[in-house]
Amino acid sequence: MISSIYDSATLAAVLNAEPLTAADAKETPRDWVDGIWVAGEVYPLDPKATTDTLAVLANGTAAVTWSPKGEYCGGGHRTAVESQAGHWCAADTDSVTFGDDVRGVTRDWRQVTVWDANGYTETIVHDTLDEAKEAFGRESAEMSREWEEQEALMGDEETADSLLY
């Protein structure tokens, strides 16, 4: 059971739920700009960015787009039937990881998160999608440089260790 909307995947899951009535089935995100209620909390939509086929949370942390029946959205669906049915899926996300998920950077709409396996997490919600994409690029490039430097140092240590034995 979903208890909060914290990213585009959970927003998509909420919107992909079976409508209760025929009237509900005819509604679009524009009908929900005042908010989507989940577990006692209301998640308002951005009235300027939300359209009939795009739902954007007002806080910028998630967005989903409508994928019409027969059009594959590229999302990670459990079955081919799901991927070909009309459904909501993440609108614009990106991610990069280094060292078998040792650290990484993710972007979910305007939210950019830098993390590592030691528990470090820093999340910033940017004012615009372009700013978030720019920040994701910067953070990814910086992390890539740091990872390459670390690997080079580890390679030098392994070479030095092998000379001792």
Side-chain angles (χ1 to χ4, degrees), residues 17-34:
E18 282 294 317
L20 292 176
T21 67
D24 291 342
K26 293 178 183 176
E27 291 182 345
T28 73
R30 289 181 191 198
D31 297 310
W32 312 321
V33 291
D34 288 339

Side-chain angles (χ1 to χ4, degrees), residues 20-138:
L20 292 176
T21 67
D24 291 342
K26 293 178 183 176
E27 291 182 345
T28 73
R30 289 181 191 198
D31 297 310
W32 312 321
V33 291
D34 288 339
I36 298 169
W37 183 85
V38 174
E41 188 165 341
V42 177
Y43 297 86
L45 298 179
D46 179 339
K48 291 179 183 172
T50 297
T51 68
D52 289 345
T53 59
L54 177 70
V56 179
L57 288 185
N59 67 6
T61 60
V64 293
T65 189
W66 178 252
S67 179
K69 181 179 180 177
E71 290 184 25
Y72 179 66
C73 69
H77 301 289
R78 294 178 305 189
T79 68
V81 173
E82 279 183 359
S83 70
Q84 291 297 308
H87 64 282
W88 293 96
C89 53
D92 198 335
T93 63
D94 208 348
S95 67
V96 62
T97 59
F98 299 89
D100 294 329
D101 291 337
V102 171
R103 63 179 70 153
V105 183
T106 60
R107 183 185 57 77
D108 190 347
W109 196 247
R110 295 183 359 232
Q111 177 175 243
V112 176
T113 303
V114 177
W115 59 270
D116 71 24
N118 290 324
Y120 172 78
T121 302
E122 179 184 23
T123 300
I124 297 174
V125 179
H126 296 273
D127 292 335
T128 68
L129 184 57
D130 287 338
E131 287 175 12
K133 288 180 177 184
E134 200 174 290
F136 174 82
R138 268 193 324 274

